Amino acid sequence: MATPQWRALVDHVQGVREGVYETNAPGTGYDNRTQFGRQFGEGGEPWCVMFDWDMYPDVGLEHLVPKVNNVSVFTDWARTRGQWSGYRSVGAWTNLSRGGHTELVVGFDDTHVYTKGGNTVPEDATDAGQGYGVYSHRIKRRSSKVAGYFAPAFEDGCPPTAGPDDHRGGTPVGSWRWPGPVLPSGDVTVTVTATDVVFGARNTSVRIVQAALAAEVGLDYASAPSTFGPRTKAAVAAFQRKLGLTDGDADGAFGRFSLTELGRRRGFTVVGLNSFDAPAPEAAEAEAEATGRTAIPASSVTFGFVVDGSTTAAAKEACRIIGVPTTRWVPGILVAAKRESSYRFNAVNSWDSNATGPKQSDGHPRNCSRGVMQVIPTTFAAYHQPGTSKAIYDGVANICAAMHYVMARYGVYRDGSNLAGRVQQFDPNRRPAGY
């Protein structure tokens, strides 16, 4: 059975952590600038009504409520449409202190109305737009502070209501309290989940990213808040270009660098970054099919040292064998090779966590990273290019395996146009980071 619209709304509202959301500007104090104002499309203005409105588009219900930023305006809007009530109901917008403030109703009983709102303070709900955070409150239902309620017309039925003649046809109840846990209060860490911000997604992470993109590149997302559609994709691409990325690196799909940099600039933390590390199995299979590479048994890898050679020449030969253009691959390979091995074909790392296993013919533990691109033996075997040497120190074979690996693991395009953006170690404009 589908979750009722009103229940999806109140679950979302109650899922917003309580705490301070405004910026505390030195010398001026809290400044009304929040992620809720950015989502609404404004900043620096009282945001209690903006918070009410934001909660609805977050769950796909923006078409039920007016996009206004004034308590008296939404009150008049509701009155003219028969959606005004003197009775409390879940999801309703309160008119508090004759238009001084508003919060959303999240529950009620015979004595109190339970609300949650923005631009408020922990102690009281009647702050007239001078609060600094999101907090829950309890107000006596007969208090003179309560001027009435805007009761939106949910499409799939009436929410819990105390109204004997509710315009939505519901049967009045004496009380309804949200059954979920109360989130702790305190300063808020705003987080974005990496796997949530992809084309076609609709969720709160997208809304946070949209607000950040509005500030960075002027994204107008009022028509589709919380939805990662064509406008948001174009804005991501514009932000990537702003970071200096080009071609396939500015494709409108977040990579680790562009998403974390947006968060650094706009005050959110990205979680789930490991999603950028592990390829989908089908991506690895497609890369193998496209390039013709096949795995070899790890036991067939050999460890004899080779005559050192030109990394540039080896990189060009690897591109020729795999059948990809050299334009971006060779420069990227040279950046990574310098960082990994100082261009030395016989380089071996015998001190990091990979340096385990029995010693091989080169005198080093089996699992050490080796060669010009510092590939471990199991990776070399799994991404081996047919027709190249099985010697891990061979420059061409080592580079081919590394190329296949980054295409499969990081989604690097065959033309290498997004190599620098997807794999930091190959990007000359960012610090070394391994790969």
Side-chain angles (χ1 to χ4, degrees):
M1 184 175 179
T3 301
Q5 292 176 335
W6 64 266
R7 182 57 192 268
L9 172 74
V10 74
D11 286 351
H12 174 61
V13 174
Q14 295 289 64
V16 177
R17 188 176 293 272
E18 295 187 25
V20 176
Y21 280 82
E22 292 188 21
T23 303
N24 193 352
T28 60
Y30 292 106
D31 62 3
N32 278 324
R33 297 190 179 277
T34 69
Q35 66 195 61
F36 306 106
R38 289 195 295 270
Q39 176 184 350
F40 187 88
E42 294 185 9
E45 300 294 333
W47 49 283
C48 61
V49 186
M50 299 180 195
F51 177 86
D52 287 5
W53 182 84
D54 286 350
M55 297 299 101
Y56 275 73
D58 283 352
V59 293
L61 299 177
E62 62 267 33
H63 56 290
L64 301 184
V65 294
K67 188 178 182 183
V68 297
N69 62 0
N70 182 282
V71 177
S72 297
V73 172
F74 82 64
T75 298
D76 292 342
W77 187 95
R79 288 184 188 278
T80 61
R81 289 163 176 79
Q83 298 184 31
W84 186 254
S85 178
Y87 295 91
R88 57 219 179 275
S89 64
V90 174
W93 302 23
T94 57
N95 180 323
L96 297 170
S97 301
R98 300 183 182 276
H101 184 61
T102 181
E103 297 191 4
L104 293 171
V105 176
V106 295
F108 60 86
D109 55 32
D110 190 55
T111 306
H112 293 97
V113 181
Y114 299 90
T115 63
K116 188 170 184 177
N119 205 174
T120 187
V121 294
E123 296 80 13
D124 197 354
T126 56
D127 52 75
Q130 298 304 308
Y132 45 68
V134 174
Y135 291 100
S136 297
H137 300 101
R138 185 181 68 173
I139 310 167
K140 289 186 177 180
R141 70 180 183 87
R142 296 187 182 276
S143 170
S144 60
K145 297 175 183 178
V146 181
Y149 305 90
F150 160 37
F154 294 101
E155 298 161 309
D156 58 356
C158 185
T161 178
D165 297 302
D166 195 292
H167 66 88
R168 299 162 294 187
T171 301
V173 297
S175 65
W176 188 87
R177 295 296 304 276
W178 188 68
V182 177
L183 293 176
S185 62
D187 287 348
V188 176
T189 299
V190 180
T191 61
V192 164
T193 302
T195 53
D196 282 351
V197 286
V198 295
F199 190 78
R202 183 184 183 90
N203 52 62
T204 303
S205 288
V206 172
R207 186 255 295 164
I208 295 169
V209 162
Q210 286 175 321
L213 291 169
E216 286 291 327
V217 296
L219 169 64
D220 178 3
Y221 61 100
S223 62
S226 303
T227 299
F228 199 126
R231 285 190 178 183
T232 301
K233 182 177 181 180
V236 174
F239 177 67
Q240 289 168 328
R241 290 192 294 272
K242 184 176 180 179
L243 296 178
L245 304 177
T246 60
D247 301 313
D249 290 333
D251 58 2
F254 278 118
R256 179 190 291 265
F257 171 52
S258 55
L259 183 56
T260 55
E261 179 62 15
L262 182 63
R264 187 191 68 78
R265 294 184 179 201
R266 292 294 156 187
F268 63 79
T269 300
V270 182
V271 297
L273 283 171
N274 60 342
S275 64
F276 291 111
D277 298 335
E282 59 269 22
E285 291 171 6
E287 183 274 330
E289 182 177 350
T291 59
R293 58 105 174 157
T294 56
I296 59 174
S299 59
S300 69
V301 177
T302 63
F303 298 90
F305 290 121
V306 299
V307 177
D308 223 334
S310 165
T311 301
T312 301
K316 290 180 178 179
E317 179 62 9
C319 290
R320 185 194 67 77
I321 293 172
I322 295 175
V324 296
T326 60
T327 310
R328 290 181 173 80
W329 275 109
V330 171
I333 289 168
L334 292 177
V335 170
K338 182 177 181 180
R339 291 170 169 178
E340 293 287 340
S341 67
S342 298
Y343 307 125
R344 293 178 295 121
F345 283 17
N346 295 310
V348 58
N349 184 332
S350 59
W351 58 86
D352 72 4
S353 59
N354 289 319
T356 61
K359 288 188 176 181
Q360 302 302 300
S361 60
D362 60 359
H364 298 284
R366 178 174 182 80
N367 300 319
C368 289
S369 303
R370 291 171 167 90
V372 66
M373 300 299 289
Q374 288 293 278
V375 179
I376 63 174
T378 52
T379 299
F380 180 78
Y383 295 94
H384 183 262
Q385 172 64 39
T388 63
S389 173
K390 295 179 183 179
I392 195 169
Y393 291 112
D394 179 88
V396 174
N398 193 280
I399 291 172
C400 282
M403 292 171 67
H404 289 311
Y405 173 70
V406 297
M407 282 191 276
R409 178 173 183 179
Y410 298 104
V412 173
Y413 301 154
R414 280 181 55 76
D415 67 3
S417 60
N418 66 342
L419 174 62
R422 293 290 174 90
V423 195
Q424 183 169 332
Q425 186 73 328
F426 290 69
D427 185 355
N429 298 314
R430 290 186 280 162
R431 62 181 179 80
Y435 72 103

